Amino acid sequence: MWRALCGFVAAVGGRGAVRSHASRLPAGSLLGQEARADSPAGRKRSTTAMPEVNTDNLDEQQVQLLAEMCILIDENDKKIGADTKKNCHLNENIDKGLLHRAFSVFLFNTEDKLLLQQRSDAKITFPDCFTNTCCSHPLSTPLELEENNAHGVRRAAQRRLRAELGIPLEQVTPEEISYLTRIHYKARSDGIWGEHEIDYILFVRKNVTLNPDPNEIKSYCYVTQEELKQLLEKASKNEIKITPWFKLIAETFLFKWWDNLHNLNRFVDHEKIHRM
C-alpha cells in the first residue's frame, strides 16, 4: 500500500526520497516472564495485574520489546511508577486508566520537507499505518527519567531515531531536538492493544543519514505540505491507514508549526497539556 501511496506523492509532483523495506514474518514469542527493572528508591511500582495475552502469533523482535519498562504518569504527567510496555498497551489496563509517557518526533530536512514513515507489518499496535518520523516512549531509566527541559525524553528520541531509522547518534543530539508541547490522547489499535499517552511533541530540522530497520519501518518518504494534505485526504477516504496521534496532530497543530519552522519559539508551551 505504501508503494502506491508514494507513487501518489510522485504523481502530485513530489520529489522526496522514497524507500521500501520487506517486513519480517511474524515469529513465535521468545519472551518468558516480563522483565522488571528495579525502581529508584521510593518510586512507586505498578500493581496492575498482568492480563493473560497470547503473543505466539506476534513478531519475535516486537514481543521482546514488550518487556521494556515505560514511565507511568498521572493525567498531569507526574511520575507514579513504571510498568512494562506490554501492560501499558493492553486495552484492559488502559480502560482502567493506565497512562504512560511518550514522544513524537517530526524531522524536517533543510528543504523543509517532513520525513514520514510507514510502520512495519510486524508492529503490535497500528501496523502498516503511516505516521510522523518517529514515535516511541522514554524508558524508566535514570537518563530517560530526567525531567529538566525534557532531557530524558529527548535522549529517548535520539535513541529511537537510531533504532528505527538508523540515524547515527552524533547526527541528532538531544540539544538539537526542540520540545514544543504535550498532548494527551487515547486510541485502540484492535480489541487487545491500544495507546494511552501523554505525548511530547519534538521537532528537528536537519539533513540526516537513513538506514531504517525493516522490523520497525516498512517504508519512508519526505513530503511537502501540499503532498501531506493530499495524503491526509486519502486517509479520510480509507484509501490509506494513518496513526490516530498523527491524524490528531496534523489536523490541529502541524501545518501552523510547519509554517513557522524558523520561529518555533512562539509555539513552545511546556505548561499546558492538550487533551485530545
Side-chain angles (χ1 to χ4, degrees), residues 10-102:
V12 296
R15 296 192 298 260
V18 178
R19 300 289 186 272
S20 295
H21 301 274
S23 298
R24 299 179 187 177
L25 295 175
S29 169
L30 290 184
L31 182 63
Q33 297 180 343
E34 296 292 349
R36 291 182 176 271
D38 291 336
S39 298
R43 184 171 305 287
K44 297 179 182 178
R45 295 297 299 274
S46 168
T47 58
T48 306
M50 173 66 74
E52 293 297 326
V53 175
N54 189 333
T55 59
D56 288 346
N57 63 330
L58 301 177
D59 179 85
E60 174 185 310
Q61 182 173 325
Q62 294 296 323
V63 169
Q64 289 176 324
L65 293 174
L66 290 177
E68 292 182 336
M69 298 299 290
C70 293
I71 302 167
L72 296 184
I73 51 177
D74 65 17
E75 291 199 348
N76 295 313
D77 194 27
K78 302 299 183 186
K79 300 188 300 291
I80 61 173
D83 212 332
T84 62
K85 181 180 176 182
K86 178 180 179 180
N87 256 4
C88 288
H89 290 82
L90 288 170
N91 288 326
E92 182 175 340
N93 291 332
I94 291 171
D95 290 343
K96 297 173 184 177
L98 201 66
L99 176 64
H100 63 279
R101 188 172 289 165

Side-chain angles (χ1 to χ4, degrees), residues 8 12 223-232 255 258:
F8 174 78
V12 296
V223 297
T224 65
Q225 286 199 38
E226 185 58 34
E227 289 163 354
L228 178 55
K229 288 175 183 176
Q230 296 189 51
L231 300 182
L232 293 171
F255 292 102
W258 202 334

Side-chain angles (χ1 to χ4, degrees), residues 1 7 21 24 48-50 55 60 84 88 116 118-119 143 149 163 165 178 193 195 199 207 210 220 222 236 264:
M1 180 176 290
H21 301 274
R24 299 179 187 177
T48 306
M50 173 66 74
T55 59
E60 174 185 310
T84 62
C88 288
L116 302 184
Q118 183 188 23
R119 293 163 67 86
L143 283 177
N149 201 24
L165 288 151
S178 299
W193 305 99
E195 297 281 4
D199 194 17
N207 293 331
L210 299 173
Y220 62 96
Y222 281 94
S236 72
L264 284 174

Side-chain angles (χ1 to χ4, degrees), residues 36-252:
R36 291 182 176 271
D38 291 336
S39 298
R43 184 171 305 287
K44 297 179 182 178
R45 295 297 299 274
S46 168
T47 58
T48 306
M50 173 66 74
E52 293 297 326
V53 175
N54 189 333
T55 59
D56 288 346
N57 63 330
L58 301 177
D59 179 85
E60 174 185 310
Q61 182 173 325
Q62 294 296 323
V63 169
Q64 289 176 324
L65 293 174
L66 290 177
E68 292 182 336
M69 298 299 290
C70 293
I71 302 167
L72 296 184
I73 51 177
D74 65 17
E75 291 199 348
N76 295 313
D77 194 27
K78 302 299 183 186
K79 300 188 300 291
I80 61 173
D83 212 332
T84 62
K85 181 180 176 182
K86 178 180 179 180
N87 256 4
C88 288
H89 290 82
L90 288 170
N91 288 326
E92 182 175 340
N93 291 332
I94 291 171
D95 290 343
K96 297 173 184 177
L98 201 66
L99 176 64
H100 63 279
R101 188 172 289 165
F103 62 81
S104 288
V105 177
F106 293 78
L107 185 147
F108 299 81
N109 64 17
T110 54
E111 295 179 347
D112 292 346
K113 291 182 178 181
L114 173 62
L115 179 60
L116 302 184
Q117 65 155 283
Q118 183 188 23
R119 293 163 67 86
S120 80
D121 295 331
K123 298 292 284 186
I124 294 171
T125 58
F126 303 100
D128 197 42
C129 291
F130 80 87
T131 192
N132 51 288
T133 311
C134 180
C135 321
S136 192
H137 320 90
L139 301 181
S140 186
T141 63
L143 283 177
E144 296 186 9
L145 280 165
E146 184 179 345
E147 294 190 345
N148 182 36
N149 201 24
H151 277 303
V153 172
R154 291 189 286 126
R155 289 187 185 111
Q158 180 194 36
R159 171 177 57 82
R160 288 304 299 175
L161 285 169
R162 179 177 66 174
E164 293 186 20
L165 288 151
I167 300 174
L169 293 178
E170 64 273 12
Q171 285 194 10
V172 177
T173 65
E175 292 71 27
E176 293 174 303
I177 300 172
S178 299
Y179 161 41
L180 266 65
T181 191
R182 293 168 289 177
I183 68 168
H184 178 187
Y185 79 96
K186 180 164 64 174
R188 283 181 173 247
S189 179
D190 57 27
I192 298 174
W193 305 99
E195 297 281 4
H196 188 207
E197 305 176 330
I198 290 182
D199 194 17
Y200 284 62
I201 307 302
L202 308 175
F203 268 49
V204 180
R205 184 176 181 272
K206 193 171 186 183
N207 293 331
V208 294
T209 303
L210 299 173
N211 183 26
D213 178 354
N215 190 262
E216 294 285 341
I217 295 176
K218 190 173 185 177
S219 55
Y220 62 96
C221 169
Y222 281 94
V223 297
T224 65
Q225 286 199 38
E226 185 58 34
E227 289 163 354
L228 178 55
K229 288 175 183 176
Q230 296 189 51
L231 300 182
L232 293 171
E233 178 64 22
K234 289 178 74 70
S236 72
K237 298 175 182 177
N238 295 319
E239 296 175 18
I240 58 173
K241 294 191 293 183
I242 185 172
T243 60
W245 62 87
F246 184 46
K247 182 176 186 291
L248 287 170
I249 294 167
E251 292 178 346
T252 310

